[in-house]
């Protein structure tokens, strides 16, 4: 049976770096996949992803924190990271974007099990095996289903490319920012901006300090807040002794 044959597939994928593409129905896919499985179902095929490299994870966590700080502060909606299912085209495509944002007005699309419909913004972090999928296949699909902004970030050494796309009135993506820009501002998230070169320093930069810079606050402000928090936690620990 299809489900039985997949019992050892994730281990095989992690070992040889390939992506398995077993065929099954969407119903079978839901029965097979669990909450810890990072996979996607597209047109009857399952794509099972190997574990990410540290540079991928550093970049993802850095961007996730910046977006969460901003979105939560202004109550703009929700930010999620993979594995979180986005059913973009019923009966056709179930994706798990690296990061996605859903605006407050569209939160009704998130059920208890998954997002049904397009996010407002998607970020994909490119890895060696995902270049074509992120730059071609997902580009076309996200454009077709109406994802308003699509950021494609490639942090790999020697690559370090960032492409920021937004949907125009004709329903096609326009490139509005690249790694060559000093700063790139989002339209979906008015007021949110970033310096693309931050992305290549994601494992060394402090997201809170960067967020303060985005807000126009001096670096000393972030240091003062940290000192106050440290003092408060030291007091709490002292009370517990």
């Amino acid at each position: 049976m299809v489900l039985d044959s997949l019992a050892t597939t994730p281990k095989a994928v992690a070992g040889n770096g390939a992506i398995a593409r077993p065929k099954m129905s969407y119903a079978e896919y839901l029965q097979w996949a669990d909450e810890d499985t990072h996979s996607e179902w597209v047109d009857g095929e399952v794509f099972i992803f190997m574990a990410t490299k540290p540079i991928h994870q550093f970049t993802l966590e850095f961007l996730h924190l910046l977006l969460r700080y901003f979105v939560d502060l202004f109550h703009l909606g929700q930010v999620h990271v993979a594995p979180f299912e986005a059913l973009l085209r019923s009966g056709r495509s179930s994706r798990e974007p690296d990061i996605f944002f859903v605006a407050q007005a569209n939160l009704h699309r998130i059920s208890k099990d998954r997002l049904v419909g397009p996010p407002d913004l998607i970020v994909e972090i490119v890895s060696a095996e995902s270049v074509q999928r992120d730059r071609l296949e997902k580009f076309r699909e996200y454009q077709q289903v109406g994802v308003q902004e699509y950021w494609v970030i490639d942090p790999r050494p020697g690559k370090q490319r960032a492409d920021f796309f937004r949907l125009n009135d004709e329903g096609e993506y326009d490139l509005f920012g690249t790694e060559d820009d000093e700063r790139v501002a989002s339209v979906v998230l008015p007021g949110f901006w970033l310096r693309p070169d931050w992305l290549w320093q994601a494992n060394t930069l402090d997201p809170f300090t960067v967020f303060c810079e985005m807000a126009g606050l001096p670096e000393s402000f972030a240091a003062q807040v940290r000192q106050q928090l440290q003092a408060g936690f030291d007091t709490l620990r002292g009370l517990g002794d």
Side-chain angles (χ1 to χ4, degrees):
M1 294 187 55
V2 173
L3 300 182
D4 293 337
S5 68
L6 283 172
T8 59
T9 299
K11 292 183 179 179
V13 171
N16 61 24
I19 296 183
R21 299 179 66 169
K23 297 182 183 296
M24 65 176 75
S25 68
Y26 181 61
E28 289 176 320
Y29 172 68
L30 292 181
Q31 182 182 349
W32 167 77
D34 58 34
E35 293 182 358
D36 298 321
T37 302
H38 189 184
S39 59
E40 295 180 338
W41 179 89
V42 182
D43 292 331
E45 291 186 327
V46 177
F47 296 79
I48 306 169
F49 304 120
M50 63 185 294
T52 58
K53 302 294 185 184
I55 192 170
H56 182 286
Q57 205 63 21
F58 287 140
T59 309
L60 184 149
E61 291 171 357
F62 176 77
L63 269 177
H64 179 224
L65 283 174
L66 288 185
L67 288 165
R68 277 292 304 272
Y69 287 157
F70 189 86
V71 169
D72 289 354
L73 178 64
F74 296 106
H75 307 288
L76 300 178
Q78 294 180 11
V79 180
H80 295 280
V81 296
F84 191 121
E85 182 188 2
L87 184 60
L88 300 182
R89 298 177 296 165
S90 181
R92 291 286 308 279
S93 176
S94 168
R95 297 287 190 181
E96 291 187 353
D98 285 322
I99 306 173
F100 68 80
F101 161 72
V102 179
Q104 196 75 35
N106 296 321
L107 289 182
H108 63 276
R109 298 175 183 170
I110 299 180
S111 71
K112 66 180 182 65
D113 297 313
R114 61 187 57 83
L115 169 68
V116 180
D120 295 275
L121 182 152
I122 286 180
V123 182
E124 295 287 8
I125 313 297
V126 177
S127 57
E129 52 76 27
S130 75
V131 176
Q132 178 173 328
R133 186 170 63 254
D134 293 337
R135 294 197 176 281
L136 297 178
E137 297 169 17
K138 289 189 176 182
F139 178 94
R140 289 192 293 263
E141 182 175 358
Y142 294 166
Q143 178 178 259
Q144 181 182 10
V145 300
V147 176
Q148 294 298 307
E149 277 188 25
Y150 180 34
W151 303 356
V152 188
I153 311 299
D154 189 344
R156 294 174 296 160
K159 305 296 182 182
Q160 294 185 336
R161 176 178 170 182
D163 296 293
F164 300 84
F165 300 96
R166 69 168 62 109
L167 212 59
N168 62 27
D169 292 339
E170 286 71 45
E172 297 180 346
Y173 278 140
D174 289 333
L175 182 69
F176 71 93
T178 73
E179 71 282 353
D180 293 327
D181 293 305
E182 182 178 353
R183 56 188 281 173
V184 175
S186 172
V187 172
V188 168
L189 293 169
F192 183 93
W193 63 272
L194 56 81
R195 302 187 191 279
D197 61 4
W198 285 341
L199 302 171
W200 326 137
Q201 309 168 64
N203 63 327
T204 59
L205 291 177
D206 170 44
F208 181 68
T209 301
V210 169
F211 185 72
C212 288
E213 180 180 344
M214 290 170 58
L217 300 171
E219 188 173 340
S220 58
F221 175 82
Q224 291 171 5
V225 170
R226 290 191 178 281
Q227 289 175 359
Q228 293 175 358
L229 288 172
Q230 183 67 55
F233 281 116
D234 287 345
T235 299
L236 289 173
R237 282 199 294 266
L239 293 175
D241 292 341

